[in-house]
Amino acid sequence: MNTPSSHDDQASLLPRQGKVELTGVPQLDLVLGGGLPRGALVIILGAPGSGKTTLASQIAFAAAQRGEQALLLTSLSEPTTKLLSHLQSYSFFKPELVGNGVQVFSLQQFIAQGKPPIAKDIVNAVRQTQANLVVLDGFQGIRSLEPDFNASRQLLYDLGTRLSLLGTTTIITTEADPRDPNLFPEMTTGDTLIGLYFTLSGVRAYRSLEVLKVRGRAPLPGRHSLALSAHGVHVYPRLETWSRYVPTNQLGRQTTPLKHKRATFSLPELDVLLGGGITRQTSTLLTGSLGVGKTLLSLKFALSGIEHGEPALFLGFRETQEQLLQKADSFSLGAQMRSALASGKLTLQRWEPVEVDSDQVATEMLNSLERTGARRVVIDSIAELERAVVESSGSERIANYLAALLAVFRARGVTLLAIKESSKIVTTSMDFSADTLSVLAENVLLVQQMMSHNKLHRVLSVLKMRFSTHEHSLREFVIAPPDGIRVLTKEESTLDGLLGNDGAEHGAQHAPHQYDNPSERGRG
């Protein structure tokens, strides 16, 4: 997934209070709590290579695109020609705006005899260009001319105050650790503080952004993922902030009640086992070993929703769209899947399972839900999301991430089916009580294979259903053309003979309903 989300996707999430300067950076306005306060002094801090100049320049070009005037003051160490040459590689750079909507000056012209620039000289340049937004890139160069913090603090104060009176927003970039306590006195002059981080863990580099302060607003707390690409900077908010800090009524399109009370598979025997289908706005773990039919069953779940007028999103990390179509084409599902894709009712999102950014996945998924109004989501498999969270943030974050994912889905009226592979080929119980996946195990559907007389038999069972009664029996199913998956009736199934003759040998038995947590007993 290399295509960035549209910035307009988040427009409904932004507060409408006060005058703000929209940044034009996808998702950043959401993280800032609505955008940059008009006339504010904004300080962007970060290590070399963290993206400070790119971020500030992207905001300047976005302002010019809206018809405003922007002034770029380049650092002492980088001439204007070099800066413009670097910016040309980004899609936000528009050559026709240079010299018109975006004026580019060097800070060198404001320096006299090795002394730092005077605020009034920069203000005069702003008046001359009638700039609505000013970027002073590389403040550390000015600080080196006057290392006294009090002097540099006074310059920031004077500059911010004078330009604020003109209604001009000022952005200053500087190389520094965003949380360096030595900078705290100087940074108190800023109305908005944005920290950029560029860290190395093993052989993998991570970029992130933190909004430390926005006067008069409530930014989303914590570090958020940041990516640099040919499109420029793209921010991906921490998923946990969507569920905790973004009001439910601002999570996107309003959901309407569905006519069908249950989310069915359109497989009569399975839907009967489920008490009529999966309960709405819950999460279901579809677990089983390799090759038992989990992906095909999940496709059937998505397509069943489309049959009932419910758009679906299939998030995959393994099969490509072509491979899924090839699998579906073996059965009657192929034509149905192609029709759903052509109509836009089925959306496939696939990520290569290599250095996956869990917050990027979540952001793209939520934006897709906003565009399509999908009411069913399939994740194949949830283990890839778990691994992405662990690699970027540590295992202690998994529970919060998954809980936030489920909370956002509930707020949007989404029913989730998540595939989880089991290492056991045959089992009569699954225990997720001590697993980080327990938050998603509201319903558990187990599919497995049993051996009898040198033949494999596919068997499914409902281990758990919250908020609903359901059948506790095992049921055999087959995968064969033209229908694909078909759950056998009790009369068609050979399961009773299989269990009666070979149950002791192969570890299969008539099992009562298995709970993944003793506290769930009696709750259905």
Side-chain angles (χ1 to χ4, degrees):
M1 295 295 296
N2 296 319
T3 304
S5 305
S6 168
H7 183 55
D8 294 336
D9 288 341
Q10 305 306 318
S12 62
L13 302 180
L14 302 181
R16 300 299 181 189
Q17 56 196 28
K19 295 182 178 180
V20 296
E21 188 82 44
L22 297 180
T23 64
V25 177
Q27 320 297 135
L28 180 55
D29 294 328
L30 175 62
V31 173
L32 287 166
L36 298 174
R38 184 78 49 91
L41 174 61
V42 181
I43 303 176
I44 302 176
L45 309 95
S50 56
K52 301 181 297 299
T53 299
T54 301
L55 176 59
S57 301
Q58 188 170 344
I59 295 172
F61 274 87
Q65 284 277 76
R66 296 193 299 268
E68 299 180 11
Q69 292 294 315
L71 175 60
L72 258 173
L73 302 175
T74 65
S75 66
L76 304 179
S77 58
E78 185 173 31
T80 58
T81 54
K82 192 173 182 180
L83 172 65
L84 293 175
S85 176
H86 290 164
L87 293 179
Q88 286 178 15
S89 62
Y90 297 111
S91 61
F92 67 77
F93 179 84
K94 307 298 180 186
E96 65 274 14
L97 293 177
V98 179
N100 295 306
V102 179
Q103 301 288 337
V104 185
F105 294 169
S106 172
L107 278 170
Q108 189 67 46
Q109 67 188 76
F110 299 101
I111 296 176
Q113 298 178 352
K115 294 293 184 181
I118 302 175
K120 70 176 183 179
D121 294 334
I122 297 177
V123 172
N124 288 336
V126 172
R127 291 181 184 274
Q128 179 185 344
T129 58
Q130 297 183 327
N132 308 100
L133 183 141
V134 176
V135 173
L136 195 160
D137 183 41
F139 187 72
Q140 69 277 1
I142 296 175
R143 187 187 292 115
S144 66
L145 297 175
E146 183 59 79
D148 180 21
F149 276 166
N150 290 328
S152 56
R153 179 185 181 188
Q154 187 63 45
L155 173 60
L156 287 176
Y157 177 80
D158 291 344
L159 191 60
T161 302
R162 290 169 182 261
L163 293 179
S164 178
L165 292 175
L166 299 177
T168 301
T169 303
T170 307
I171 300 177
I172 292 176
T173 72
T174 185
E175 289 184 3
D177 179 349
R179 289 192 172 272
D180 182 356
N182 294 321
L183 295 177
F184 289 172
E186 187 177 354
M187 294 303 106
T188 57
T189 58
D191 301 300
T192 300
L193 299 180
I194 300 175
L196 301 186
Y197 301 87
F198 191 25
T199 58
L200 188 66
S201 177
V203 297
R204 184 176 175 183
Y206 295 89
R207 296 182 186 273
S208 57
L209 174 146
E210 179 186 18
V211 178
L212 292 91
K213 167 186 176 183
V214 182
R215 282 201 175 113
R217 295 194 174 273
L220 300 186
R223 287 196 192 183
H224 308 275
S225 180
L226 181 147
L228 275 180
S229 69
H231 301 283
V233 173
H234 197 134
V235 178
Y236 300 101
R238 277 193 316 124
L239 178 60
E240 293 88 328
T241 61
W242 290 82
S243 60
R244 292 185 61 196
Y245 298 97
V246 178
T248 301
N249 61 1
Q250 291 183 13
L251 281 175
R253 66 171 68 215
Q254 296 296 314
T255 57
T256 55
L258 294 169
K259 295 180 181 179
H260 303 275
K261 293 182 180 180
R262 296 295 186 101
T264 66
F265 282 82
S266 294
L267 296 171
E269 293 298 319
L270 175 55
D271 292 332
V272 168
L273 281 179
L274 292 167
I278 294 175
T279 46
R280 295 285 181 183
Q281 296 176 241
T282 62
S283 63
T284 299
L285 282 181
L286 172 58
T287 185
S289 58
L290 288 170
V292 74
K294 299 184 298 299
T295 299
L296 197 60
L297 186 57
S298 66
L299 273 175
K300 181 65 177 173
F301 175 75
L303 294 174
S304 174
I306 293 170
E307 287 179 353
H308 294 97
E310 305 167 35
L313 169 64
F314 192 103
L315 174 66
F317 296 91
R318 297 178 181 177
E319 288 97 340
T320 64
Q321 177 170 314
E322 292 74 18
Q323 290 171 326
L324 287 172
L325 284 170
Q326 185 178 7
K327 180 177 292 188
D329 281 338
S330 301
F331 313 102
S332 58
L333 293 178
Q336 188 180 2
M337 182 176 173
R338 292 179 185 277
S339 174
L341 287 169
S343 66
K345 296 298 180 62
L346 175 63
T347 301
L348 295 182
Q349 284 188 350
R350 182 183 183 269
W351 298 81
E352 286 289 350
V354 180
E355 295 191 351
V356 176
D357 184 324
S358 56
D359 287 313
Q360 184 176 357
V361 172
T363 299
E364 298 290 354
M365 180 166 49
L366 293 174
N367 285 338
S368 181
L369 293 181
E370 174 64 18
R371 289 191 299 270
T372 65
R375 305 298 289 272
R376 297 190 186 194
V377 170
V378 173
I379 300 178
D380 183 13
S381 76
I382 197 67
E384 300 296 345
L385 266 185
E386 284 186 284
R387 181 163 66 89
V389 174
V390 171
E391 290 179 353
S392 64
S393 310
S395 59
E396 64 277 1
R397 188 190 172 196
I398 294 178
N400 283 331
Y401 181 93
L402 295 178
L405 185 69
L406 186 55
V408 172
F409 281 159
R410 282 174 179 156
R412 291 172 178 258
V414 169
T415 303
L416 171 65
L417 179 68
I419 292 177
K420 171 68 174 178
E421 288 186 348
S422 167
S423 59
K424 296 181 180 180
I425 296 178
V426 175
T427 182
T428 55
S429 66
M430 296 293 292
D431 185 5
F432 293 107
S433 59
D435 196 305
T436 51
L437 282 174
S438 60
V439 67
L440 295 186
E442 294 182 303
N443 314 313
V444 180
L445 182 59
L446 173 65
V447 288
Q448 57 186 317
Q449 298 187 85
M450 296 181 179
M451 176 72 75
S452 176
H453 303 296
N454 297 320
K455 182 180 179 181
L456 285 173
H457 296 256
R458 289 184 169 93
V459 177
L460 61 81
S461 56
V462 182
L463 298 189
K464 175 184 174 183
M465 279 280 290
R466 294 194 69 184
F467 318 117
S468 172
T469 57
H470 64 281
E471 288 193 24
H472 301 161
S473 60
L474 307 181
R475 191 65 60 85
E476 189 175 0
F477 70 98
V478 296
I479 299 178
D483 299 325
I485 289 183
R486 186 169 71 89
V487 182
L488 303 182
T489 64
K490 292 180 179 179
E491 292 73 23
E492 295 175 310
S493 176
T494 61
L495 190 58
D496 286 341
L498 167 66
L499 295 176
N501 295 330
D502 302 292
E505 178 183 353
H506 297 290
Q509 57 182 342
H510 283 291
H513 176 54
Q514 302 293 328
Y515 294 87
D516 69 336
N517 189 325
S519 66
E520 297 289 344
R521 293 190 180 275
R523 294 172 64 177

